[in-house]
Structures are given as structure tokens and as C-alpha cells.
Amino acid sequence: MSDASLHTVLYVDDEPDIREIVQLALGLVPGLSVHICESGARALELLPQITPDLVLLDVMMPGMDGPTTLQRMREHPAAAHIPVVFVTAKAMPQEVARFKDLGAVAVIPKPFDPMQFGQQILVIWEGVRRERTR
Amino acid sequence: MSEHDELQQKIADIGYRYLQRTLGELGGLRELIVRVGTGDVAAVGEVQRLAHKVYGSGSMFGFETVSERAHALELAALDPVDESVAQRLETCALALDEAVRAAAHARGIQ
């Protein structure tokens, strides 16, 4: 039986302070390997190397924004299957619907509670896992 | 100190640096609004992106007023561009500036 636990995540955000918060918050999740980078372009470089189970993308980033990064992932065979969560201050219902139409499995609004972030990610992962076994 | 308390302390430390960084960005914001006043419509988008970032991150560190005023600035930047856009943005930017400086002052940042 394959291990369905969440092992590795990649978080992508151009804001250094938020990256640091996420590193700390997800560092509290036992057994989780957390990778952090600052741009969509860098994320695409890292994906083949770290093959995360889940990618967390900020939406508004200079250069390649979150939705474009997701689109590029879907064009790349090694990354096409990786579920993506958007993390964004744009979290109105119509925006959430748009992000899900783009292929995101979930949207986490900013600000998020760093103390709860790890649990949020695990709940999302559980949903992804259940969907895969349907 | 519990793991929870440790994390809270680290978040507070990052928040301190966040305020310092945001203080530094206020100068860039003022320059953008000057550009808007000269008719540079692209600068409106840059104001909106900067404001959006602060809106999403301010509350994360407990700076609710900073976040609210950044949101107001973002909304002002999203309004249709007309001859009063620079004035609107400046008004909102001043309010944001005030909030950031008040938060910084409360934490002993000059």
C-alpha cells in the first residue's frame, strides 16, 4: 500500500516575511519537508528536483504570477499532476471560483493564522488524497 | 517556552522587520503616485500591486489598521482612472503612511 501522507510541500511567494512565516508554521508539522522559493520561475526550476506532493502559490507575484505558474506546471509532464493551492489576499467568492477553474484544489486567504496553517494544509491534503482514491 | 510561544515570538520578530521593510517601501509608493500625477497609467497598477501585498500581509503580523488602509489604497487604484486618480491615491497613501508609522513608532522603530 502506498504512503498517502503529505511529505513535501513547496511554497512560492515573493514576500520574504511571508516566506519566513510559512517556513516556521509548516516546520511545526511533523515529518513535513518544506521548500520555499521567491518566484514562479524559480518554482518551475525546483519542481523536477524536489517533486513536492503539494505546491502553495501566492497569486500576485512580479514577473510570473501564480495562475501563470500553475499553467506552466500543467504544461510540464513532471509537474502536471501536482496539486496546487493558491494563497492570496484576493479571496472573494468569484476569485476563489476563478482560481478553482484554473485548476487549484483549494484557496487559502491571506491573512492566515500561522498557528493553524499547517493544519489547514493537512486538511486540504486529506481532501486531495480522498479525491484520488475515489 | 512552549513551541507555540516560540512561534509567536518569532512571528513578532518577523513583524518588526516587516514594518521596517514597509516603512522603506513608502518612499517608493510616493514616487509611484507622483508618476500617476504625470499621467503614467501603468504606475496605477504598480500602486495596486504594492497595496495588495500590504493588505494581505499586514494583518498577518497584527497590523490591522495597516492592512485596512492598504486595502483602501488598493480599491482606490482599482477604480476607473480619471483626472482625480492621483489625488485619490495620495489621500489613501497618506493614511497608509500614517498607520505604518504609528505601528513602527509603537514598536520603537524610528
Side-chain angles (χ1 to χ4, degrees), chain A residues 10-28:
Chain A
L10 171 64
Y11 180 77
V12 188
D13 197 316
D14 63 304
E15 283 204 83
D17 301 312
I18 304 297
R19 291 198 302 268
E20 203 171 341
I21 291 281
V22 168
Q23 180 83 68
L24 288 171
L26 295 185
L28 295 178

Side-chain angles (χ1 to χ4, degrees), chain B residues 55-102:
Chain B
Y55 164 49
S57 53
S59 295
M60 197 94 74
F61 302 104
F63 307 130
E64 301 294 341
T65 306
V66 169
S67 191
E68 286 164 12
R69 293 193 181 176
H71 193 212
L73 176 59
E74 181 185 10
L75 292 177
L78 288 171
D79 278 343
V81 176
D82 58 23
E83 61 276 0
S84 67
V85 60
Q87 182 60 52
R88 286 201 310 273
L89 295 180
E90 189 172 343
T91 301
C92 291
L94 280 172
L96 173 60
D97 187 294
E98 184 184 285
V100 174
R101 290 184 192 283

Side-chain angles (χ1 to χ4, degrees), chain A residues 13-18 20-21 24-25 27-28 58-62 88-90 110-115, chain B residues 3-5 7-8 10-11 14 17-18 21 48-50 52-57 59-61 67 74 78:
Chain A
D13 197 316
D14 63 304
E15 283 204 83
D17 301 312
I18 304 297
E20 203 171 341
I21 291 281
L24 288 171
L28 295 178
D58 183 26
V59 168
M60 195 174 283
M61 294 185 284
T88 178
K90 276 187 182 288
K110 284 181 181 175
F112 54 82
D113 181 351
M115 307 307 299
Chain B
E3 199 173 56
H4 181 284
D5 291 340
L7 178 57
Q8 294 282 38
K10 286 176 180 174
I11 291 169
I14 296 169
R17 292 199 297 274
Y18 169 83
R21 193 190 320 277
Q48 188 257 323
R49 279 185 289 276
L50 177 56
H52 174 82
K53 284 293 185 185
V54 177
Y55 164 49
S57 53
S59 295
M60 197 94 74
F61 302 104
S67 191
E74 181 185 10
L78 288 171

Side-chain angles (χ1 to χ4, degrees), chain A residues 21-43:
Chain A
I21 291 281
V22 168
Q23 180 83 68
L24 288 171
L26 295 185
L28 295 178
V29 178
L32 184 63
S33 176
V34 183
H35 298 267
I36 308 280
C37 72
E38 73 283 3
S39 69
R42 182 62 181 143

Side-chain angles (χ1 to χ4, degrees), chain B residues 20-36:
Chain B
Q20 289 179 308
R21 193 190 320 277
T22 306
L23 268 175
E25 287 174 348
L26 291 176
L29 178 59
R30 284 191 287 274
E31 286 173 16
L32 283 173
I33 293 175
V34 166
R35 281 171 48 192
V36 172

